Amino acid sequence: MSDAQLRDKIALVTGAGRGIGAAIATRLGAHGAQVIVNYRSSAEEAEAVAASIRAAGGHATPMQGDMADAESTEALFKAVLDEHGTLDLLINNAGIVKDGLLASMREPDWQKVIDLNLTGVMRSTRLALRHMLRARTGSIVNLASIQAIRGGRGQANYAAAKAGVLGLTRAAALEVADRGVRINAVLPGFISTDMTQVIQRRAGDQVLAQIPMGRFGVPEDVAGLVLFLCSDDSAYITGQSFTVDGGLSIA
Ligand code: NAP
């Protein structure tokens, strides 16, 4: 894949100050995209991600926006379109966990996960489509999770939200396929980030024993797949879900 693969494409990566989002932003920036590094609270981290993309010769701007909040999300999309005039790539990466057994799960913990991980993805996809459908081009990549398929003890809220993202991806992709817009989903397994720190600390060896490739993933393992789904190399692929899990789902 050439360095200029995404030259001049405008890419919005949500939750890109750290973790998988930061790796995706960095990878897209290295391949020529002008990256909007969205963050909710990690302002310094997002500025550092943008600065490192610029230091490597790319273009990147940090932009605040709470993807669980309708007004804030609309303001972010308005700012992106006002500044760049277009949006070619949207990576719905922002996500949270609020784990707990369903029998005792508090409703706010259910709702917060659904609000960001599912409703937030719907909202930003809809805002992006309003522009992409007119432009008749665009690629949207949604970060789901293998827990969408596996379930996951203590993750009924998270698994339900991520399974919802898979349905949303397929239905929305079908609606816009004839208008030049593609929508796909990525299902990471266990990737070493802040999100998985607790489980790695408490049950790292048990989880590791289940992963055929014998290691946790790193954010860059996911970023390569997202780059592919953003590029013209995947021009005939839409409505699909791709697992990146070191073989966990086939074990
Ligand atoms: P992480 O390290 O916990 O980072 C989460 C990111 O989401 C942060 O950049 C955070 O930004 C952002 N975020 C949280 N709430 C937000 C909001 N309301 N608005 C905007 N941004 C918000 O998580 P990660 O491991 O990189 O996960 C990234 C995505 O991959 C998530 O969708 C996650 O569900 C999915 N995933 C991860 C794994 C894994 O093993 N790590 C596996 C499967 C799927 P601030 O710091 O600015 O709040």
Side-chain angles (χ1 to χ4, degrees):
M1 192 174 291
S2 85
D3 280 354
Q5 183 85 359
L6 302 180
R7 178 77 61 217
D8 297 330
K9 299 278 187 204
I10 307 299
L12 169 59
V13 185
T14 69
R18 55 196 175 90
I20 294 171
I24 293 170
T26 302
R27 187 70 65 96
L28 300 187
H31 285 264
Q34 298 190 31
V35 189
I36 294 105
V37 181
N38 161 254
Y39 64 94
R40 179 197 48 177
S41 53
S42 300
E44 276 179 31
E45 289 89 339
E47 179 47 59
V49 170
S52 87
I53 293 171
R54 291 194 297 266
H59 302 271
T61 327
M63 277 196 195
Q64 204 277 337
D66 181 346
M67 306 309 295
D69 180 89
E71 263 181 44
S72 179
T73 304
E74 279 175 28
L76 172 69
F77 275 79
K78 184 175 181 320
V80 170
L81 289 169
D82 284 353
E83 193 165 319
H84 296 279
T86 189
L87 178 65
D88 302 293
L89 307 169
L90 168 66
I91 319 304
N92 283 312
N93 168 79
I96 52 167
V97 285
K98 295 240 173 259
D99 292 356
L101 297 176
L102 182 61
S104 52
M105 184 178 283
R106 296 167 51 248
E107 283 215 14
D109 287 346
W110 168 272
Q111 201 57 51
K112 277 185 186 146
V113 170
I114 299 294
D115 284 350
L116 176 64
N117 295 9
L118 179 56
T119 309
V121 173
M122 174 280 295
R123 195 178 285 128
S124 58
T125 298
R126 206 167 52 174
L127 287 163
L129 285 180
R130 284 181 193 157
H131 175 79
M132 290 176 175
L133 290 176
R134 274 200 305 273
R136 292 193 163 261
T137 181
S139 175
I140 299 174
V141 181
N142 296 326
L143 271 288
S145 165
I146 54 162
Q147 304 303 59
I149 312 269
R150 285 165 41 110
R153 198 177 153 77
Q155 294 204 300
N157 49 0
Y158 185 78
K162 296 298 190 181
V165 167
L166 297 187
L168 167 67
T169 299
R170 285 193 289 267
L174 189 58
E175 291 178 13
V176 301
D178 65 348
R179 304 280 291 276
V181 181
R182 301 183 297 110
I183 310 179
N184 290 289
V186 168
L187 287 69
F190 284 92
I191 311 296
S192 288
T193 66
D194 295 344
M195 184 174 278
T196 51
Q197 252 182 19
V198 173
I199 183 136
Q200 283 197 46
R201 221 173 26 242
R202 285 195 193 147
D205 289 346
Q206 273 165 270
V207 176
L208 208 51
Q210 297 171 41
I211 303 174
M213 291 186 80
R215 68 169 176 88
F216 290 104
V218 291
E220 290 70 22
D221 290 324
V222 181
L225 177 56
V226 174
L227 171 65
F228 168 70
L229 292 172
C230 287
S231 77
D232 287 344
D233 286 346
S234 61
Y236 200 49
I237 299 176
T238 196
Q240 303 305 305
S241 305
F242 299 89
T243 301
V244 48
D245 69 350
L248 178 58
S249 52
I250 52 162

